[in-house]
């Protein structure tokens, strides 16, 4: 991979008090600051992982120094805090950061089109329009499942670019070295509107609903793959439902936090549930207080629901392997 700036790195200009000459600097995530040339500053500002550094010899001579000082990375494997890591599949070019017209158009119609196609697909299925074939193709199913995960993140990517979020890369989320999902690394605009934040959070879910509807409608037209397509539709509905849970790190929590204009609705729920004074305040504020308390309780318990589902799926897969 070509060089790209690490998270937390700053590149910019400064002036000494007794001079009007513009100088250039780079600062790593640890706060170490280094004065640099204008050409290197411009090259670093353009370092997005999609092309070599715009320097003599394509920056090969300076690259070891930049890596040692924690300014750039060239490895696709990224170590995060704790047991979670990332593998970068696609660095996002700086040219796309302002949002293309295509991304804006897709993002604008996605909420309506996804729900409409999903509702039509469910209606046609319930009205008896699907003839289920007897053959189930596991290989095609796994390809469709992987595509569903990738397109879920593509929905976030398109929404982020349409809303002019700063998106650095997208790739695979790892538990140690085991792939457990996908991600889009982004930096939210400080002046982003509430609806933009909500749409960015829900875009992946909308894509899952769209895929579920497309699978249902396609299953009616092609019977040999109907059972495989129906299973894929069910998986996309499950993915959408799980991501709607208000659990920290999931899309539902991000959307609800944006709606309530708080940093984290799950953290807010904990504060109100486990603080005696706040609980009493809710209990003494009538029906609205009881409703808020129930909502906070559901938010807190939703994490348990998620882990119960994961445990059920892991147990089911285990017995499916060991039992004939």
């Amino acid at each position: 991979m070509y060089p790209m700036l690490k998270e937390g790195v700053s590149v910019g200009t400064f002036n000494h008090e007794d001079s009007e000459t513009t100088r250039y600097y780079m600062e790593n995530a640890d706060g170490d600051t280094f004065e640099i040339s204008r050409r290197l500053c411009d090259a670093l500002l353009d370092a997005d992982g999609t092309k070599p550094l715009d320097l003599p010899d394509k920056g090969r001579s300076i690259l070891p120094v930049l890596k040692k000082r924690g300014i750039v990375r060239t490895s696709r494997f990224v170590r995060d805090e704790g047991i979670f890591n990332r593998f970068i599949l696609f660095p996002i070019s700086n040219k796309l950061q302002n949002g293309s017209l295509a991304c804006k158009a897709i993002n604008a119609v996605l909420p309506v089109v996804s729900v409409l196609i999903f509702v039509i697909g469910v209606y046609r299925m319930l009205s008896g329009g699907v003839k289920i074939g007897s053959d189930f193709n596991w290989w095609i199913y796994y390809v469709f499942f992987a595509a569903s995960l990738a397109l879920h993140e593509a929905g976030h990517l398109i929404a982020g670019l349409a809303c002019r979020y700063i998106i650095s890369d997208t790739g695979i989320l790892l538990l140690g070295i085991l792939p457990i999902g996908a991600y889009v690394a982004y930096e939210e605009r400080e002046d982003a509107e509430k609806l933009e934040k909500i749409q960015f959070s829900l875009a992946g879910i909308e894509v899952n609903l769209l895929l579920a509807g497309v699978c249902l409608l396609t299953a009616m037209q092609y019977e040999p793959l109907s059972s495989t397509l129906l299973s894929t539709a069910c998986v996309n509905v499950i993915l959408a439902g799980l991501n709607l849970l208000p659990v920290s790190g999931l899309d539902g929590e991000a959307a609800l936090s944006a709606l309530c204009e708080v940093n984290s609705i799950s953290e807010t729920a904990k504060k109100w549930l486990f603080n005696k004074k706040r609980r009493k305040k809710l209990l003494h504020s009538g029906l609205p207080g009881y409703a808020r308390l129930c909502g906070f309780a559901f938010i807190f318990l939703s994490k348990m629901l998620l882990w119960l589902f994961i445990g059920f799926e892991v147990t089911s897969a285990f017995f499916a392997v060991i039992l004939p």
Side-chain angles (χ1 to χ4, degrees):
M1 188 180 74
Y2 292 120
M4 66 184 302
L5 290 181
K6 282 189 171 183
E7 290 85 352
V9 169
S10 299
V11 182
T13 63
F14 70 98
N15 295 91
H16 288 302
E17 293 182 0
D18 57 348
S19 174
E20 296 182 357
T21 302
T22 300
R23 297 177 179 273
Y24 304 86
Y25 76 93
M26 61 184 183
E27 180 180 343
N28 62 24
D30 296 326
D32 301 322
T33 305
F34 311 93
E35 187 171 350
I36 57 177
S37 67
R38 177 177 178 177
R39 184 167 185 180
L40 178 55
C41 178
D42 292 340
L44 291 176
L45 288 173
D46 202 34
D48 55 15
T50 62
K51 54 189 174 299
L53 292 176
D54 185 18
L55 293 169
D57 76 350
K58 297 183 179 180
R60 296 188 188 95
S61 59
I62 191 65
L63 195 54
V65 178
L66 296 174
K67 292 169 68 174
K68 183 178 180 180
R69 293 179 176 178
I71 302 298
V72 300
R73 66 162 54 95
T74 56
S75 172
R76 292 185 180 272
F77 183 79
V78 181
R79 293 185 180 276
D80 288 333
E81 295 181 2
I83 59 175
F84 293 101
N85 300 302
R86 292 179 287 137
F87 186 83
I88 299 173
L89 287 178
F90 304 109
I92 306 302
S93 172
N94 290 332
K95 295 179 181 180
L96 297 176
Q97 299 301 328
N98 291 327
S100 66
L101 290 177
C103 288
K104 292 179 180 178
I106 294 172
N107 188 55
V109 302
L110 182 60
V112 176
V113 172
S114 61
V115 173
L116 182 63
I117 296 297
F118 177 69
V119 169
I120 292 174
V122 172
Y123 174 77
R124 291 290 303 275
M125 182 189 70
L126 294 178
S127 62
V130 180
K131 295 182 180 179
I132 302 177
S134 57
D135 295 332
F136 183 87
N137 193 311
W138 282 101
W139 289 108
I140 295 178
Y141 171 77
Y142 285 129
V143 170
F144 285 170
F145 177 70
S148 298
L149 295 176
L151 290 172
H152 174 100
E153 297 304 326
H156 289 304
L157 176 62
I158 290 172
L161 293 175
C163 297
R164 294 183 289 114
Y165 284 14
I166 298 176
I167 298 178
S168 58
D169 56 89
T170 181
I172 300 172
L173 183 65
L174 304 169
L175 178 62
I177 60 172
L178 299 176
I180 58 172
Y183 76 92
V184 171
Y186 71 95
E187 182 179 335
E188 191 177 273
R189 275 179 30 235
E190 293 183 1
D191 61 341
E193 298 180 0
K194 181 190 293 189
L195 288 179
E196 289 179 324
K197 296 178 181 179
I198 294 174
Q199 171 56 18
F200 174 76
S201 301
L202 297 180
I205 295 172
E206 293 162 3
V207 169
N208 287 133
L209 292 178
L210 176 61
L211 292 174
V214 169
C215 287
L216 291 174
L217 294 174
T218 306
M220 300 174 197
Q221 307 298 324
Y222 193 65
E223 185 176 340
L225 278 181
S226 58
S227 60
T228 307
L229 290 168
L230 287 175
S231 296
T232 305
C234 290
V235 164
N236 275 278
V237 172
I238 291 172
L239 287 173
L242 287 178
N243 274 286
L244 273 175
L245 289 174
V247 177
S248 180
L250 296 184
D251 299 335
E253 200 266 354
L256 191 56
S257 298
L259 180 65
C260 298
E261 298 183 322
V262 296
N263 290 330
S264 171
I265 192 65
S266 58
E267 291 299 321
T268 301
K270 287 181 183 179
K271 291 178 181 179
W272 282 90
L273 287 173
F274 294 101
N275 185 287
K276 189 175 181 179
K277 291 183 178 180
R278 292 184 176 185
R279 284 202 312 272
K280 283 186 176 181
K281 184 177 180 180
L282 290 176
L283 292 173
H284 287 84
S285 57
L287 187 59
Y290 282 106
R292 288 181 65 186
L293 189 63
C294 290
F296 288 147
F298 172 75
I299 291 170
F300 179 75
L301 293 174
S302 61
K303 189 172 184 178
M304 298 181 186
L305 294 175
L306 176 63
W307 283 109
L308 283 173
F309 177 82
I310 293 174
F312 174 77
E313 288 297 310
V314 171
T315 304
S316 300
F318 175 75
F319 282 107
V321 171
I322 65 172
L323 294 179

